[in-house]
Amino acid sequence: MTIDRQKLFPAFKYTIYALLTLNVYLFFAEEWAAAAHRFANGISLADVIEGFAASIDTAVWVVLLLMFELETYVIADRLTPRRKLVMRGLRALCYVVIVYAFYGYLSKLLFLYGATPLPGVADLCHLAGANWAYAVTLDEYVVLTAQNCAGLSDGSHFFRLPGLKAAVDVAGLTDIRLLAWVDVVNSGVWLLVVGLLELDVRLQANDRLAGTLLMASNGAKYVLYSILLLAAVYWGVAGDFVDFWDAFLWLVAFFFIEMNVVERLEEDAAAEPRAVQGSAAPPLANR
């Protein structure tokens, strides 16, 4: 049985894109459950980005990914000035939302640093049955009951998350803050990656993505992708499967976008000698 790589590669690529779209639902389900504790009295419009930063961020990134896929692969040879203008306008709108999502991650981190000591509580069972919850991890809370309170933590010092009836022990708060820091760093690095990719697309369109500029772009992205890989590894070690899986898929997805850019560069390089040859003066006998 022979494998048609021309069909297998796009099929694998678009499967990755579909899985990333599914992740929007997974993040929304996770943040919706957390919002029941975080915003027990209702969520205002201003708090939506903080409560659903991952869901909004992922959804907009999927749109942005598809925009890059269109411009670097699907309709790369059929880009009219009008289409370019529309796509760049859509991407600019996506960038605004992504930066806003970064603000949401940062707000969540600052929220965690507002935690205060919970005096007089040396055991979680003191809080059981009083509508208190325990912060198991970032965006995951468990309502404290007489049945589960003893098994959630063996700590003797607890903190209260600001404005919530939610407690966490010292080790748990440290872990949650680290996860929030990774979210902020990951979001910020992806902003730098997409900025470089946007620059690559613009330079390529003007036949300027070569030499020192190409080397500098590749070197910078090597560092940035390495940071993103470390973030994925951290999520995997910390046991946050959804974040690990999402980070892995995004790295694979943008590998495909990078491959699209490389393929276009190779096609342009191959076409250039033909263009030069075709412009050469014809033999005298044919004049």
Side-chain angles (χ1 to χ4, degrees), residues 96-118:
V96 171
V97 180
I98 289 170
V99 171
Y100 193 35
F102 174 78
Y103 165 76
Y105 289 121
L106 187 60
S107 296
K108 187 178 294 185
L109 176 64
L110 295 176
F111 162 79
L112 292 170
Y113 275 93
T116 55
L118 199 55

Side-chain angles (χ1 to χ4, degrees), residues 40-102:
N41 297 323
I43 183 170
S44 66
L45 185 61
D47 293 328
V48 168
I49 191 62
E50 185 177 344
F52 298 93
S55 305
I56 296 171
D57 191 32
T58 305
V60 176
W61 270 103
V62 168
V63 175
L64 187 60
L65 175 68
L66 296 178
M67 292 295 102
F68 276 118
E69 176 67 14
L70 285 171
E71 186 164 352
T72 61
Y73 184 75
V74 178
I75 59 173
D77 297 324
R78 303 188 303 276
L79 278 174
T80 63
R82 183 177 181 180
R83 285 177 178 176
K84 285 183 180 180
L85 184 62
V86 171
M87 293 182 67
R88 287 174 182 175
L90 288 174
R91 289 211 302 271
L93 180 61
C94 289
Y95 294 148
V96 171
V97 180
I98 289 170
V99 171
Y100 193 35
F102 174 78

Side-chain angles (χ1 to χ4, degrees), residues 42-209:
I43 183 170
S44 66
L45 185 61
D47 293 328
V48 168
I49 191 62
E50 185 177 344
F52 298 93
S55 305
I56 296 171
D57 191 32
T58 305
V60 176
W61 270 103
V62 168
V63 175
L64 187 60
L65 175 68
L66 296 178
M67 292 295 102
F68 276 118
E69 176 67 14
L70 285 171
E71 186 164 352
T72 61
Y73 184 75
V74 178
I75 59 173
D77 297 324
R78 303 188 303 276
L79 278 174
T80 63
R82 183 177 181 180
R83 285 177 178 176
K84 285 183 180 180
L85 184 62
V86 171
M87 293 182 67
R88 287 174 182 175
L90 288 174
R91 289 211 302 271
L93 180 61
C94 289
Y95 294 148
V96 171
V97 180
I98 289 170
V99 171
Y100 193 35
F102 174 78
Y103 165 76
Y105 289 121
L106 187 60
S107 296
K108 187 178 294 185
L109 176 64
L110 295 176
F111 162 79
L112 292 170
Y113 275 93
T116 55
L118 199 55
V121 177
D123 189 294
L124 284 178
C125 291
H126 286 96
L127 305 174
N131 294 323
W132 277 79
Y134 181 74
V136 178
T137 185
L138 189 65
D139 294 327
E140 185 177 346
Y141 300 86
V142 174
V143 177
L144 291 170
T145 66
Q147 290 73 33
N148 66 14
C149 62
L152 289 172
S153 172
D154 57 1
S156 58
H157 294 85
F158 296 91
F159 285 80
R160 178 177 183 172
L161 298 181
L164 306 180
K165 295 184 72 173
V168 62
D169 60 22
V170 177
L173 182 60
T174 300
D175 290 342
I176 290 173
R177 283 174 175 172
L178 281 174
L179 285 170
W181 267 111
V182 174
D183 278 348
V184 170
V185 171
N186 182 73
S187 179
V189 170
W190 271 116
L191 284 172
L192 295 176
V193 167
V194 79
L196 279 173
L197 189 56
E198 182 74 33
L199 182 61
D200 283 354
V201 172
R202 297 291 182 91
L203 290 173
Q204 181 185 345
N206 293 284
D207 296 324
R208 296 176 58 191
L209 187 60

